[in-house]
Amino acid sequence: MTGLVQDKVAIVTGGAKGLGHGISRCLAQAGANLLITGRDGSAAEAVAAEITKTSGVRAVGMSADMGVKSEVEAMIDRAVSEFGGLDILVNNASQLSPNILLEQKTDDMLQRTLEIGTWGSWWAMRAAFPHMKARGGGSIVNFYSIDAQTGAWLHADYNMNKGAILGLTRSAAVEWGRFNIRTNAIAPTGMGQVFSELAENVPGFLEMATASNPLKRAGDPEKDIGPVVLFLASEMSRFVNGELINVDGGQHLPGYVSVPHNLAEMEAQT
């Protein structure tokens, strides 16, 4: 994969932790210069320093809350000022609210989830557009979810957000294709930040979570998820636009059981 995005400029939001960290490392190993962002600016800077040291590309970390328009626009400006342009935008950052029933979700929970996911992707894409157009094209990779595909319990606001992002992805693919800007989405499952914490702290969780996966394992952020993002970011996918790719070992086929074990207790609190 070395050289597939050599000297390209990429932004990875939420790129210091979980899936984003693996994606950042994969793109760097393929030659991309990176702006890595996250609400934890110190973590983003530390990962950027590590990637610069180990991969030979330039990587910069900065704090950016995807739910704040001015910070999203500053993120795009920083990438252009640091590297001279922008070729790849990976909208990985997301927000999960508390795991409660749909009727218990609050407007504030939905608003924050939409701000970081839907609005953050919207703002980033629109700010990136003129710079990609000036470069003669670019690649945007957005994130969908198996949760939205299956209507996962306790994630109503998150599922709604992901559905909006998929709609935005397809609209951009249709409208911006004339500028050679390709917009695609992936629906990954893997050892993200929350999944890794559960696997480490809850005995038997990993085995239970992967039992129905056709490949019988969890996806590795750098080795399993990152290469698909790299494919979409590179010229290998130059005729792929408006696509949704499930990167989950086939988990979307059987789906998964998300009904909470304590449903009666949760209903009693409504």
Side-chain angles (χ1 to χ4, degrees), residues 33-96:
N33 296 308
L34 293 172
L35 178 66
I36 299 168
T37 73
R39 281 170 284 173
D40 185 347
S42 60
E45 291 171 0
V47 168
E50 170 235 328
I51 286 176
T52 297
K53 181 178 180 180
T54 59
S55 67
V57 302
R58 285 188 62 210
V60 175
M62 70 173 286
S63 173
D65 186 329
M66 294 301 292
V68 179
K69 183 178 181 180
S70 61
E71 295 190 22
V72 175
E73 292 177 338
M75 171 188 78
I76 300 296
D77 290 343
R78 178 75 181 276
V80 173
S81 64
E82 287 279 351
F83 302 110
L86 180 61
D87 304 291
I88 302 158
L89 172 63
V90 182
N91 283 317
N92 163 69
S94 65
Q95 170 81 14
L96 279 172

Side-chain angles (χ1 to χ4, degrees), residues 32-198:
N33 296 308
L34 293 172
L35 178 66
I36 299 168
T37 73
R39 281 170 284 173
D40 185 347
S42 60
E45 291 171 0
V47 168
E50 170 235 328
I51 286 176
T52 297
K53 181 178 180 180
T54 59
S55 67
V57 302
R58 285 188 62 210
V60 175
M62 70 173 286
S63 173
D65 186 329
M66 294 301 292
V68 179
K69 183 178 181 180
S70 61
E71 295 190 22
V72 175
E73 292 177 338
M75 171 188 78
I76 300 296
D77 290 343
R78 178 75 181 276
V80 173
S81 64
E82 287 279 351
F83 302 110
L86 180 61
D87 304 291
I88 302 158
L89 172 63
V90 182
N91 283 317
N92 163 69
S94 65
Q95 170 81 14
L96 279 172
S97 68
N99 287 333
I100 57 178
L101 297 169
L102 187 158
E103 60 268 28
Q104 297 169 348
K105 295 282 187 178
T106 67
D107 288 354
D108 287 342
M109 292 176 189
L110 174 60
Q111 179 173 328
R112 184 60 173 158
T113 301
L114 291 174
E115 283 173 349
I116 291 182
T118 299
W119 281 102
S121 298
W122 169 274
W123 290 325
M125 289 166 62
R126 286 163 58 90
F129 170 74
H131 302 290
M132 289 186 172
K133 181 181 176 183
R135 302 274 265 198
S139 175
I140 299 168
V141 182
N142 291 331
F143 280 62
Y144 189 57
S145 174
I146 189 174
D147 285 4
Q149 288 175 310
T150 60
W153 283 73
L154 313 184
H155 287 179
D157 49 351
Y158 180 78
N159 298 342
M160 179 178 170
N161 165 61
K162 290 300 183 180
I165 289 173
L166 186 58
L168 174 60
T169 298
R170 289 171 172 165
S171 292
V174 169
E175 293 196 27
W176 291 353
R178 71 192 193 277
F179 302 114
N180 195 35
I181 298 172
R182 298 179 297 103
T183 311
N184 295 285
I186 67 170
T189 63
M191 298 293 284
Q193 188 176 357
V194 175
F195 192 106
S196 296
E197 290 173 358
L198 289 171

Side-chain angles (χ1 to χ4, degrees), residues 163-249:
I165 289 173
L166 186 58
L168 174 60
T169 298
R170 289 171 172 165
S171 292
V174 169
E175 293 196 27
W176 291 353
R178 71 192 193 277
F179 302 114
N180 195 35
I181 298 172
R182 298 179 297 103
T183 311
N184 295 285
I186 67 170
T189 63
M191 298 293 284
Q193 188 176 357
V194 175
F195 192 106
S196 296
E197 290 173 358
L198 289 171
E200 182 177 347
N201 299 323
V202 180
F205 173 82
L206 182 60
E207 292 75 14
M208 179 275 295
T210 57
S212 63
N213 190 297
L215 293 185
K216 302 300 180 186
R217 62 182 177 83
D220 180 272
E222 184 176 347
K223 297 178 181 178
D224 294 321
I225 313 301
V228 181
V229 175
L230 174 59
F231 163 73
L232 291 173
S234 75
E235 281 295 297
M236 291 183 68
S237 62
R238 63 196 300 267
F239 205 55
V240 179
N241 188 32
E243 187 60 80
L244 168 63
I245 301 177
N246 292 289
V247 191
D248 62 4

